[in-house]
Amino acid sequence: MATIGTYLLWIIGTILTLLPIYWLLLVASRKRIELLSGKPNFAPTFFTSFHWKNFTEPFIKGDQGEYLMNSIIIATSNALLVVTLAVMATYALSRFK
């Protein structure tokens, strides 16, 4: 049976795990001027002043689309190689007596 201390430990661990994700979304949704103003604001502005340009501009002006495609190609070829080697190893081990 779990005690209150166990639940408290799980809650603290969950908060510590989700805090960087919250910070990432908080910073990513702000304008550059808001970030460089020097006044940290921890209140969420996701619904009032969400800045979509931070997410679309790297794909339009930068090479993020190309980098994403390179990552997809590498990950797919890696997965295919691992599956192929695993199938061959499974066959060899199944014939081993």
Side-chain angles (χ1 to χ4, degrees):
M1 182 170 219
T3 63
I4 293 176
T6 305
Y7 286 122
L8 187 61
L9 189 64
W10 279 105
I11 290 171
I12 291 171
T14 303
I15 289 171
L16 288 176
T17 302
L18 293 178
L19 191 62
I21 297 170
Y22 171 74
W23 186 257
L24 175 90
L25 292 173
L26 190 68
V27 170
S29 66
R30 303 253 169 121
K31 293 182 181 179
R32 186 177 299 204
I33 265 184
E34 292 176 32
L35 292 174
L36 299 176
S37 69
K39 295 181 265 178
N41 185 5
F42 298 105
T45 59
F46 304 131
F47 305 110
T48 56
S49 67
F50 195 82
H51 196 60
W52 283 104
K53 193 173 184 183
N54 292 342
F55 297 98
T56 58
E57 194 170 299
F59 287 97
I60 295 170
K61 291 186 178 178
D63 294 332
Q64 293 297 323
E66 182 181 343
Y67 299 151
L68 180 64
M69 193 56 158
N70 288 344
S71 296
I72 289 171
I73 290 169
I74 295 295
T76 303
S77 60
N78 187 21
L80 289 174
L81 179 65
V82 167
V83 168
T84 303
L85 291 175
V87 166
M88 290 190 294
T90 303
Y91 179 76
L93 289 174
S94 69
R95 296 292 180 180
F96 187 69
K97 292 184 181 185

